[in-house]
Amino acid sequence: MTKPHLTIVIPSYKEAANIPSLLEKIHSALGDYPYDVLVIDDNSPDGTAEVARGLAEKYPVSVVVRKDKRGLASAVVDGFKLAGGDIVAVMDADLQHPPEVLPRLVRAIEGGADLAVASRYVPGGSVGNWSATRRVISRGAVLMSHVLLPSTRGIKDPMSGYFMLRKDVISEVALSPVGYKILLEVICLGCPRTTVEVPFIFENRRAGVTKLSMITQTDYLRHLLSLMRRTGELNRIVKFVAVGGSGTLVNLGLLAILKEWAGLYYLVAGAIAFEVSVVWNFLLNDRFTFGDRKRPEGTFLGRLLRFNVTSLGGFIIYIGILALLTQVFGLFYIISAAIGIVVGFGWNFMVNSAWTWR
């Protein structure tokens, strides 16, 4: 049986010192497997393109130099368009992605996966000797993607820049990533049916200078927002806010009725009004906000119970912040309440999105 051809897309900028070793290691790892390497270079001033072209007689490598564009994500997208293989891999040029992992990614694809991710966060994987700060930032980025982009939740390392996929996963998808996290784009818009994670240990850069900066972190937040808009998750938050606003009106209105007209003690009236508003919010969210997320194995009462527990947690957070900021830090109680409402809302949305309507 003929093996599917593999194209390895490698974006590069000022990686002349790493290219020879990288191509040698790729060739050694893949052996006689049919492959080619496509280097997308952003007109590197150190001669990266010339170094790669000089090795074309020894290795199956071609080079595209971009003079009017710059950026890893757009380079990968251009590489996807030019790739001739049935399978496409993406890896960095700096040797932090060990080529020895390529055969395992190939086997995962041949075994039926649409997407194979080289993962730092599955057993056997590691981030190497990263600093504690970088580890926290990376884990935080993964958590944010899992909370805000539900399609990433089954993948432990959606931030990985090292992956392989069947080309038809993205053949009819308009990719427009921001920054470095192209895999998020593939997961959220390509919608691969089967994803396999293969462990790898993130290596130290052998030569050259890292491209990471604060701009990278800002780009990630912009990318999250862009994907939330394009996948409908941003619209979901707007619906959740609207439902919460209507629930507040129900709560306050019923509180006034029970206290002023029915003569109930204000705490009793408040407890009843709170529960009625929770049920009100649940019914609207179950129907409109998260209607597309209801699983066949889930039950109406089960979702209602989870929503109640989550709402109680949000209420406790609100009261705690109100008391802490007002009594301990001396903030005006209205400001404290506003902060508590915002934090409580964030809790309610994130937990409900990940638990009640997972």
Side-chain angles (χ1 to χ4, degrees):
M1 182 180 295
T2 303
K3 296 180 178 179
H5 188 87
L6 167 66
T7 295
I8 304 170
V9 175
I10 302 177
S12 67
Y13 183 68
K14 296 197 294 187
E15 298 289 357
N18 289 315
I19 288 294
S21 179
L22 175 64
L23 294 178
E24 178 185 358
K25 287 176 178 292
I26 289 173
H27 192 71
S28 175
L30 291 173
D32 60 357
Y33 192 91
Y35 81 95
D36 71 286
V37 174
L38 177 58
V39 176
I40 308 294
D41 185 69
D42 285 354
N43 201 24
S44 297
D46 68 346
T48 298
E50 289 74 15
V51 170
R53 286 186 179 125
L55 295 166
E57 291 186 4
K58 188 175 183 181
Y59 307 113
V61 58
S62 58
V63 182
V64 173
V65 176
R66 307 190 311 165
K67 297 183 178 181
D68 56 343
K69 288 184 183 179
R70 180 163 295 183
L72 183 145
S74 64
V76 172
V77 172
D78 286 349
F80 283 157
K81 294 174 182 177
L82 296 170
D86 303 303
I87 303 172
V88 181
V90 176
M91 65 187 302
D92 290 348
D94 55 14
L95 292 171
Q96 291 181 316
H97 296 159
E100 294 78 13
V101 177
L102 285 169
R104 284 186 279 152
L105 294 175
V106 169
R107 286 195 293 272
I109 296 293
E110 289 182 331
D114 292 317
L115 172 64
V117 178
S119 175
R120 299 159 293 184
Y121 297 131
V122 294
S126 169
V127 296
N129 61 356
W130 280 9
S131 67
T133 299
R134 190 172 179 185
R135 289 170 187 264
V136 169
I137 291 173
S138 178
R139 285 292 192 177
V142 170
L143 178 62
M144 288 179 66
S145 74
H146 285 170
V147 169
L148 299 174
L149 299 171
S151 55
T152 68
R153 289 176 189 163
I155 301 172
K156 295 185 182 296
D157 193 3
M159 302 293 106
S160 179
Y162 191 8
F163 59 92
M164 188 179 294
L165 71 159
R166 297 181 187 276
K167 194 175 180 182
D168 57 10
V169 169
I170 55 168
S171 61
E172 298 184 10
V173 177
L175 301 175
S176 54
V178 179
Y180 284 67
K181 305 305 179 184
I182 183 68
L183 179 58
L184 284 179
E185 199 87 1
V186 172
I187 295 169
C188 294
L189 301 180
C191 299
R193 291 165 297 180
T194 306
T195 299
V196 172
E197 291 188 81
V198 173
F200 89 104
I201 298 174
F202 196 85
E203 301 283 351
N204 293 326
R205 171 179 275 277
R206 304 295 174 84
V209 179
T210 181
K211 313 299 191 299
L212 292 176
S213 66
M214 283 302 298
I215 295 176
T216 306
Q217 315 307 327
T218 303
D219 283 345
Y220 174 63
L221 296 178
R222 290 172 54 218
H223 194 193
L224 275 183
L225 186 62
S226 171
L227 281 171
M228 288 173 65
R229 176 180 54 79
R230 285 179 285 154
T231 59
E233 292 303 314
L234 191 59
N235 187 48
R236 195 187 304 279
I237 292 180
V238 172
K239 290 180 180 179
F240 194 82
V241 170
V243 169
S246 71
T248 300
L249 295 178
V250 169
N251 190 324
L252 295 176
L254 186 58
L255 173 62
I257 291 172
L258 294 176
K259 171 67 172 63
E260 302 300 330
W261 293 0
L264 293 181
Y265 182 55
Y266 79 98
L267 289 180
V268 175
I272 295 173
F274 174 76
E275 180 57 29
V276 171
S277 68
V278 166
V279 174
W280 169 276
N281 286 352
F282 169 77
L283 293 174
L284 291 181
N285 281 318
D286 198 57
R287 175 66 178 83
F288 297 108
T289 310
F290 295 100
D292 60 320
R293 293 260 204 96
K294 290 184 284 190
R295 301 291 181 88
E297 66 273 16
T299 65
F300 178 86
L301 290 179
R303 293 194 300 275
L304 177 58
L305 178 60
R306 290 193 291 270
F307 188 83
N308 259 280
V309 172
T310 302
S311 298
L312 181 59
F315 179 74
I316 293 172
I317 289 171
Y318 162 72
I319 292 297
I321 290 177
L322 174 61
L324 177 68
L325 296 183
T326 303
Q327 297 183 17
V328 178
F329 293 96
L331 262 64
F332 184 51
Y333 75 96
I334 293 296
I335 297 177
S336 300
I339 295 173
I341 288 171
V342 171
V343 176
F345 164 79
W347 160 272
N348 284 339
F349 179 80
M350 290 188 295
V351 176
N352 280 311
S353 178
W355 185 41
T356 307
W357 289 281
R358 57 185 181 275

